[in-house]
Amino acid sequence: MTTINLDNKHINIMGIDFKISIVKNLFEGTNKVLGFSDYANSVIKLESNQDKQNKLQTLVHEITHIILWNTGYDDLNANEQLIVAFGNVLYQVLKDNNLSEIVESK
C-alpha cells in the first residue's frame, strides 16, 4: 500500500491557506469522523486511520465544504448527501488527473 504524507502540508482555497493536520481518533463533537474543516483556524483535519485514496477523497470532501462555506452557500454546505456526491465525483476527476502528484509535489 502506498502511503501519502499530508501532515503539515498546506492548500490554498479561495486565497486562504489551510493547514492539513493528520489526527488519530478524530471527533466532531461526539461523532467520530474521517475529516473536519476548522474554518476559523484555517485547518483541515483528516483521520490518520485511512489509506491513501480515502485520505485524498476525504481531503476533497473537506475542500468542497470549505468552498461552499466561503461562497455563502451554508444551506448547501449543510447538505452532507450533496457534499458526499459532489466530493466523490470531484475526487475521481482529480485522481484521474494525478491529484497525488499535485499534492506530493508541494
Side-chain angles (χ1 to χ4, degrees), residues 9-44:
K9 297 234 176 160
H10 291 80
I11 187 165
N12 188 292
I13 305 168
M14 299 177 66
I16 299 172
D17 189 42
F18 281 82
K19 178 182 173 188
I20 300 169
S21 179
I22 306 301
V23 178
K24 188 174 182 177
N25 296 317
L26 180 59
F27 283 84
E28 180 181 3
T30 59
N31 297 321
K32 185 153 178 44
V33 295
L34 296 177
F36 177 76
S37 298
D38 181 349
Y39 307 119
N41 295 300
S42 303
V43 176
I44 298 171

Side-chain angles (χ1 to χ4, degrees), residues 44-58:
I44 298 171
K45 297 178 183 180
L46 301 174
E47 168 60 48
S48 63
N49 191 22
Q50 299 182 74
D51 64 18
K52 175 183 176 179
Q53 65 184 2
N54 284 310
K55 273 185 188 157
L56 290 174
Q57 188 174 47
T58 302

Side-chain angles (χ1 to χ4, degrees), residues 42-101:
S42 303
V43 176
I44 298 171
K45 297 178 183 180
L46 301 174
E47 168 60 48
S48 63
N49 191 22
Q50 299 182 74
D51 64 18
K52 175 183 176 179
Q53 65 184 2
N54 284 310
K55 273 185 188 157
L56 290 174
Q57 188 174 47
T58 302
L59 176 61
V60 171
H61 176 98
E62 294 307 317
I63 290 168
T64 304
H65 274 295
I66 293 166
I67 291 168
L68 290 173
W69 181 77
N70 278 334
T71 54
Y73 289 102
D74 295 334
D75 55 332
L76 295 177
N77 190 30
N79 184 337
E80 196 64 21
Q81 185 178 4
L82 172 73
I83 301 295
V84 168
F86 186 85
N88 287 350
V89 171
L90 182 57
Y91 166 73
Q92 177 271 310
V93 169
L94 294 171
K95 180 180 179 228
D96 289 351
N97 291 283
N98 295 319
L99 173 63
S100 296
E101 218 172 81

